[in-house]
Amino acid sequence: MTSGLWELVLKGTWVTIQLLVLSSLLATAVAFLAGVGRTHRLWIVRFLAGLYTEVFRGTSALVMIFWVFFVLPPAFGWQLVPLWAGTLALGLTYGAYGAEIVRGALKAVDPAQQEGGVALSFTPWQRLRLILLPQAVPEMIPPFSNLLVELLKGTALVSIMGMGDLAFSGNLVRLALQESAEIYTYILLIYFVIAFLLTRGMRGLEKKLKAGVGKAAPKRETAAGVVEPVGVGGGAK
C-alpha cells in the first residue's frame, strides 16, 4: 500500500480507539448503575433497572445505531455526529450486558458480609462501598474483559453511518486497490493487536485488585509470648 492509504487506515484505527474508549466508559457507568439498581431494596428501582437491561439486551446493536442516528433525530429535531451516536448506541447496548455481570458479582458475595455490615450499623451505601464492591469488583474483571473485546468488535457496526472507523477505512482501501485478502488481513491483525493489549491490561488490573484479597491478618506477640492476629484498629481479635 502507498503511504496515503496507510495513513487512511491509521486514521481509521484512531477513530476506532476513540469510539472504544468513549463507549466503554459509558457502558461501565451504565452497567454499575443498572447492576446495583437490580439489587436495590426498592422494587421500583429493581423494576426500572431490569426493564432497561431486558430491553437493551434483547435488541440488536446494529438496529440501535440505526435508531440513534437515523430515527431519533427527525423525531426530536436534532442530529448527533456519528462518533457520539455510535458511543450512545454501543454504550447503552453493552452496558446492559455489563449490568448482569455487576448484579451477579454482587449477589455472589457471602451474605454474612452483608449481615456484618448491618451489625456495624453501616448504611446501605457504606455496605456497598466498603464491603460489597471491594470483594465483587475483582470477580467482575474477567467477564468485563470479554465484554470489552466484544465491544471492540462491535465498533465496526458504526461503518453503516459512513463513520471513518477501521472497518470503513479498510473497505475504502480495498476498493482503491481491489485487493481483498491483503487488506482484510491487515485489518484483522490490527483488531487482534488491540484486543490482545486490552486483555493483557485487564489481566494486570485483575491481579492488582486481587493482590490484597485473602491475605492473612497481621499478627503480634503478647506479653505472654502468645502470637495473636491483629483485628481492626490494631486490637486483638
Side-chain angles (χ1 to χ4, degrees), residues 139-181:
E139 304 304 323
M140 300 177 193
I141 299 302
F144 264 128
S145 178
N146 290 334
L147 188 61
L148 190 58
V149 173
E150 288 297 321
L151 176 55
L152 168 64
K153 294 184 285 187
T155 58
L157 297 174
V158 301
S159 59
I160 65 169
M161 299 184 293
M163 185 174 173
D165 72 311
L166 180 57
F168 185 83
S169 300
N171 190 51
L172 291 181
V173 174
R174 181 189 67 83
L175 293 174
L177 297 180
Q178 296 297 311
E179 285 288 343
S180 299

Side-chain angles (χ1 to χ4, degrees), residues 1-11 173 177:
M1 287 195 298
T2 64
S3 59
L5 294 178
W6 270 116
E7 183 179 355
L8 182 62
V9 172
L10 292 177
K11 286 182 178 179
V173 174
L177 297 180

